[in-house]
Amino acid sequence: MSGNRARREAIKDVEAYVPPAVSFDESEAPGEIFGANVFSTIVMRKRLPKPVFKSVMATIEHGAKLDPLVADAVASAMKDWALERGATHYAHVFYPLTGLTAEKHDSFFEPAGDGSAIAEFAGKTLIQGEPDASSFPNGGLRNTFEARGYTGWDVTSPAYVLENPNGNTLCIPTVFVSMTGEALDHKTPLLRSQQAMGEHAQRILSLFGNKSTAKVVSFCGPEQEYFLIDRHFFLARPDLLNAGRTLFGTKPPKGQEFDDHYFGAIPERVLGFMMDTERELFKLGIPAKTRHNEVAPGQFEIAPMFERGNIAADHQQLLMTTFKTIAKKHGMECLFHEKPFEGVNGSGKHVNFSLGNNELGSLLVPGDTPHDNAQFLVFCAAVIRAVHLYAGLLRASVASASNDHRLGANEAPPAIISIFLGDQLADVFEQIANGPATSSKGKGSMQIGVDTLPVLPTDPGDRNRTSPFAFTGNRFEFRAPGSMQTVNGPMVTINTIMADSLDYAATELETAIAAGTDFDTAVQNLLTAIITEHGAVVFNGDGYADAWPIEAEKRGLGNLRTTLDALPELITEPALALFEKYKVFNRREMHSRYEIGLEQYALSIGVEARLTLEIGQTSILPAAVRYQTELALNAKALTDVGVEPDLLPLNELSTTIGELRSAIATLHSALADEVGHDSIAEAEHAQTALLPAMTAVRAAADTIEERIADDLWPLPTYQEMLYIL
C-alpha cells in the first residue's frame, strides 16, 4: 500500500504484531474481580469499628458532616488494606483546571530509630494534603509565586489501589482549593452544585409527601467515544503526537459512507484491548457495560452504567487514563480528541443525567402513564425551564477549540441548545399547556411477519440523535460534550441550573399552598406556566435540517457557533448571580473559568499552528520539491530524446507548491504578530488569523498528497491509520 520506506516499515511492524500475554486467570469467575481494588462499602463494613462505619456512611448517604474524629480509624484500616494489596505509596488524586488528573505520591514508610522502616498513615494525612498549586491554571485566582494549595478527602468517592508492574499506589480522590478556599479544580464545584440541587429536590419530594431521608444526588452515565490506531503510525505523525489530531491528510478512497463499521464485528486486536481494559476497570469498580464499533473506521465506544455524579466523574478520568495505558500495551494509541481525522465522524462524550437517591431510584422515570405522574412531570418541567433559561451556560460548558470541530456538523448536535421530549411526553405537555393532561400515548407491539420470532414491544416514541438534550426514557442525554473533556463541567452546569429550577418550582408550590390553593391545582398551574413560558426550547424535529437554525432564531434560541461566542455566557450578570446564589462559584471563580477557557483556546490553536508550520516547512514542502524535481528531470530527459513531455502534472504541482509557500509565509507572519498578553486578544487572534492560515496550508498540502508519488509522501496516510489495525 505504501511506497515510503518509513511507512512500509510501520506496516510491516503492524503485520508482525504479537498480542501481549493473556491477562485473564481461567480459574477466575466472571464478576469476581469487580471492585477488588476498591476501599468499598463492603470493605469498610468488615474493617471499620461499627460506630466509625455508621458515621462514614451517614456522610456518604445522608450528607451528614464528616466527623474528623473518625479519620484516624479510617486511615489505619485503609493503610492496612492497601499494604495487603501491595501498595507502597499513597496519593491524593485531584482534578485541576487542566481537565486532566493530577496526583502527588508519598511513601507509607518512614525510617525508625533502629534503621528499619514503619508504615505510617494518620487521619490528618488522609483528610488533607498540600501539593504545590503554583503551576496549575487558575485564571487569576492566585499569584504564580504563591505555591500553597490544599487537597481535601472526598469521602463520598471511594479510595482505590492503582496497580503497576513495579508497585501499587493507594489513590484517594480529593478536592483541590487555594488557601482562601476558592476552587482550583473541577471536583469542588461539582460537589457544591450537587448539594445545592439535592437540597431543592428534597423540597419538591417533601411537598409530594415523600419521607425519604436519603440525600438526592445527580447521577451520570458518560458514553465515551474514541479512536484506536497502531502506535507506529501515531509516533510517525508529529501532529497526533503533540496536538491529538491530524493537521494534514486527505480522505481515504473509502471512508464511512457504507456505514459498515457501525456495530460491526469488533476486530480481534481491538477486542483483546477492550477485554483487557474492562478487566482493569472492573477491578477499580468502574461498571463498564457496553462496547461496540462506532460510525467512523477505527472508532469505538464504551458506556459505563449510571453512578453518583462525582463518582462517575472520577471514574471517567480514571477510565481515560486506563485506556491510554492498556492501548500502549497492545501496540496501539487511544485518541480522545474530538476530531482526530478530517472527513469522518468525530468523537463525543454523551452525558446521561438523572437525579434521585438509593431509596427512590431515578426521579426521571415517567411510568406507563406519565400524565398521571405529577411528581415526574414537575421534575421534567424543571429540566425544560432550566435548559431554556440557561442554554448559553450549557453551550459554554462544552466549549473548546477541539469541540468546535465537531459541534454543528452532521455527526454531533448543533450548537443550538434545545430539548427533545419524544412523542409521548411532547403530547402530555401539549395537553398541559391547554389544560389538564388526561391521557398518555401507550406502548405498542410489532409483528415482524416470521412465525418463529416473538412479538416485540415498542416504545411510545422514537429517539432523536440530532438533539443536544434528549429525553431517553428515564434520563436526559446531553450529547454536546466532547470526548476529551471532563464530565465535571457539564454536570456542574446541569446541577446548578436544576437547583435554580427546583428552587423556583418548590417556592411556587409552597407559596400557592400557603395561600390556600389546592395542591393538585398548584401543580397544574406550575406545569402550565413552565411549558407556556419555556416550551420554545422543546424541538422534536431534525436538528441537522437547514431550516432548524432559522426556526430556532424565530423561537429566540441562541446559536453560539464557536467557543469565543460561548465563553462570555460565563460572565453575564445572570450567570454570575446564579452560581453565587447557590454557592457553587463566587464571582472570582467564575471569571477565572472564563479566563482559563480563553487561555486554553489560544494555547491549543497556537500549538497546532506551530505544528502546521513545522510539518509544512520541514516535511511536506521538501517532499513536494523533490517530486517537482523528478518531474522536471523527466521532462528534460524526454525532451532530450525528442519526445514531447506532458507538462501538466509539473505545472499543476508547481502551482500548488507556490500556494503552499505562500500559505506557510502567511502562517509564519501570523505567528509572529504581536497581540499582547490580553487573553481575549490572543484568543481572537487564534480564531481570526491562525485558524484561516492553518486551513490554507492544509488545503495546499492535501492537494500535494493527492498528486505526489507515494514513496515520497512523508506521513502515514488516513488510509493506513484508519484501516491497518
Side-chain angles (χ1 to χ4, degrees):
M1 180 179 290
S2 172
N4 176 281
R5 180 180 176 184
R7 287 158 51 210
R8 278 202 314 269
E9 289 299 316
I11 294 169
K12 183 179 177 181
D13 287 341
V14 173
E15 282 295 303
Y17 165 78
V18 177
V22 176
S23 59
F24 289 86
D25 182 347
E26 292 184 3
S27 65
E28 193 175 79
E32 185 180 82
I33 61 168
F34 188 83
N37 286 347
V38 180
F39 194 69
S40 61
T41 301
I42 295 173
V43 175
M44 288 193 292
R45 183 181 286 114
K46 291 178 180 178
R47 290 178 174 265
L48 296 179
K50 196 169 184 179
V52 173
F53 175 73
K54 284 186 174 181
S55 176
V56 172
M57 294 309 297
T59 299
I60 294 172
E61 294 182 353
H62 301 288
K65 284 188 177 295
L66 177 65
D67 182 356
L69 298 178
V70 307
D72 282 331
V74 175
S76 177
M78 193 181 287
K79 177 200 68 178
D80 292 343
W81 171 81
L83 290 173
E84 289 171 14
R85 305 205 68 80
T88 58
H89 289 68
Y90 63 90
H92 275 196
V93 177
F94 56 101
Y95 309 97
L97 299 176
T98 57
L100 303 175
T101 301
E103 53 198 42
K104 175 191 173 190
H105 295 216
D106 289 289
S107 174
F108 281 121
F109 297 97
E110 297 180 6
D114 59 0
S116 63
I118 57 173
E120 295 286 354
F121 188 57
K124 64 179 182 180
T125 308
L126 168 64
I127 288 178
Q128 183 176 334
E130 188 183 331
D132 190 311
S134 61
S135 297
F136 292 109
N138 65 78
L141 283 177
R142 56 176 301 120
N143 295 310
T144 55
F145 65 83
E146 296 173 333
R148 197 181 297 279
Y150 297 117
T151 52
W153 176 35
D154 175 14
V155 67
T156 64
S157 187
Y160 54 91
V161 167
L162 194 63
E163 295 179 337
N164 183 281
N166 297 313
N168 301 339
T169 304
L170 171 66
C171 296
I172 304 158
T174 62
V175 299
F176 180 46
V177 297
S178 69
M179 274 194 68
T180 58
E182 290 173 308
L184 298 173
D185 67 338
H186 288 291
K187 179 186 273 284
T188 302
L190 179 58
L191 293 172
R192 291 171 178 169
S193 67
Q194 190 160 260
Q195 179 172 295
M197 185 272 300
E199 175 187 336
H200 298 291
Q202 200 68 53
R203 290 171 61 197
I204 298 290
L205 291 176
S206 297
L207 287 165
F208 277 94
N210 197 303
K211 304 302 182 185
S212 172
T213 59
K215 188 177 182 181
V216 175
V217 297
S218 57
F219 290 91
C220 175
E223 303 170 28
Q224 177 71 64
E225 296 173 341
Y226 60 96
F227 280 83
L228 289 171
I229 68 168
D230 189 87
R231 193 157 167 79
H232 292 92
F233 295 139
F234 172 76
L235 294 174
R237 293 283 313 214
D239 45 4
L240 279 178
L241 187 63
N242 291 280
R245 76 178 182 103
T246 54
L247 301 171
F248 301 95
T250 60
K251 280 186 65 176
K254 177 191 174 188
Q256 62 188 46
E257 57 270 20
F258 288 99
D259 297 323
D260 54 347
H261 191 259
Y262 196 40
F263 282 88
I266 300 173
E268 182 178 356
R269 184 182 184 187
V270 174
L271 185 57
F273 154 80
M274 289 178 170
M275 297 181 75
D276 205 354
T277 302
E278 288 170 11
R279 184 174 186 272
E280 295 304 313
L281 296 180
F282 287 163
K283 286 194 285 187
L284 294 166
I286 300 175
K289 179 69 173 176
T290 302
R291 63 190 183 209
H292 63 82
N293 288 5
E294 257 299 333
V295 173
Q299 187 185 34
F300 308 92
E301 179 179 305
I302 183 171
M305 295 179 67
F306 269 72
E307 297 182 278
R308 186 176 179 143
N310 61 307
I311 297 175
D314 290 355
H315 280 173
Q316 171 58 210
Q317 296 293 106
L318 191 52
L319 180 148
M320 294 173 73
T321 301
T322 304
F323 267 49
K324 286 280 191 181
T325 301
I326 303 297
K328 291 176 183 176
K329 175 181 171 183
H330 286 260
M332 296 183 289
E333 186 69 24
C334 184
L335 306 177
F336 287 119
H337 195 285
E338 284 80 0
K339 195 72 172 178
F341 301 102
E342 188 68 32
V344 296
N345 278 13
S347 298
K349 185 179 299 184
H350 303 175
V351 173
N352 293 277
F353 164 84
S354 70
L355 70 164
N357 61 29
N358 58 3
E359 294 177 4
L360 301 174
S362 172
L363 299 174
L364 291 176
V365 176
D368 292 333
T369 55
H371 71 282
D372 281 335
N373 191 342
Q375 180 177 288
F376 160 77
L377 290 175
V378 169
F379 280 102
C380 187
V383 176
I384 294 171
R385 177 184 179 275
V387 173
H388 188 227
L389 281 178
Y390 302 110
L393 285 175
L394 285 170
R395 174 64 182 88
S397 75
V398 300
S400 69
S402 54
N403 210 21
D404 279 357
H405 294 289
R406 170 180 164 268
L407 289 181
N410 285 0
E411 64 197 70
I416 304 164
I417 302 296
S418 64
I419 280 185
F420 169 81
L421 290 178
D423 294 340
Q424 185 187 57
L425 288 186
D427 175 64
V428 168
F429 275 101
E430 189 174 331
Q431 293 179 56
I432 290 171
N434 298 303
T438 58
S439 64
S440 301
K441 292 183 178 181
K443 295 182 178 181
S445 61
M446 178 188 298
Q447 297 277 358
I448 300 178
V450 179
D451 293 343
T452 57
L453 294 177
V455 175
L456 302 180
T458 60
D459 292 294
D462 207 343
R463 296 175 63 189
N464 188 322
R465 64 180 297 272
T466 70
S467 174
F469 212 95
F471 185 73
T472 57
N474 59 0
R475 63 192 184 275
F476 280 91
E477 181 181 6
F478 188 25
R479 299 181 64 249
S483 55
M484 195 162 54
Q485 75 174 104
T486 171
V487 300
N488 283 281
M491 286 299 294
V492 167
T493 301
I494 294 171
N495 284 342
T496 307
I497 65 178
M498 280 297 293
D500 179 74
S501 274
L502 293 171
D503 184 6
Y504 165 82
T507 301
E508 289 292 304
L509 292 175
E510 289 163 353
T511 302
I513 293 167
T517 305
D518 172 72
F519 179 70
D520 290 343
T521 302
V523 169
Q524 173 65 37
N525 291 342
L526 171 70
L527 295 175
T528 301
I530 288 177
I531 197 62
T532 301
E533 188 173 350
H534 304 289
V537 78
V538 177
F539 177 63
N540 281 0
D542 182 2
Y544 294 165
D546 293 337
W548 170 229
I550 300 170
E551 170 66 20
E553 186 176 3
K554 292 178 181 176
R555 296 185 183 203
L557 303 182
N559 187 3
L560 304 173
R561 298 177 186 273
T562 71
T563 292
L564 298 194
D565 295 329
L567 287 178
E569 295 290 319
L570 296 174
I571 54 172
T572 63
E573 182 54 36
L576 295 172
L578 169 76
F579 285 100
E580 191 170 46
K581 177 180 179 181
Y582 295 102
K583 298 181 173 58
V584 177
F585 290 121
N586 62 32
R587 291 177 178 246
R588 275 168 45 84
E589 289 171 323
M590 283 296 287
H591 276 279
S592 77
R593 270 61 183 174
Y594 171 68
E595 289 292 329
I596 290 169
L598 292 173
E599 180 184 71
Q600 293 293 319
Y601 180 86
L603 288 173
S604 297
I605 294 175
V607 168
E608 291 183 353
R610 291 189 292 275
L611 277 167
T612 300
L613 184 66
E614 176 188 293
I615 297 170
Q617 284 187 145
T618 64
S619 295
I620 295 175
L621 182 58
V625 170
R626 281 195 290 270
Y627 186 50
Q628 182 186 42
T629 301
E630 283 189 11
L631 292 176
L633 290 173
N634 175 261
K636 183 179 184 305
L638 290 173
T639 301
D640 289 346
V641 297
V643 177
E644 184 176 349
D646 179 4
L647 297 177
L648 181 60
L650 176 59
N651 291 335
E652 288 181 339
L653 180 65
S654 298
T655 298
T656 308
I657 288 175
E659 293 169 352
L660 179 60
R661 290 185 188 277
S662 176
I664 286 174
T666 301
L667 178 57
H668 188 277
S669 176
L671 281 166
D673 286 345
E674 288 291 337
V675 293
H677 297 288
D678 178 79
S679 55
I680 297 176
E682 289 178 345
E684 288 177 344
H685 180 260
Q687 182 185 57
T688 60
L690 297 184
L691 281 176
M694 290 163 55
T695 300
V697 173
R698 176 169 190 160
D702 288 357
T703 300
I704 289 171
E705 182 184 352
E706 293 171 345
R707 294 173 177 170
I708 196 171
D710 187 69
D711 63 309
L712 291 176
W713 185 250
L715 302 172
T717 66
Y718 274 27
Q719 185 171 204
E720 292 161 350
M721 290 185 288
L722 293 174
Y723 286 102
I724 301 177
L725 191 60

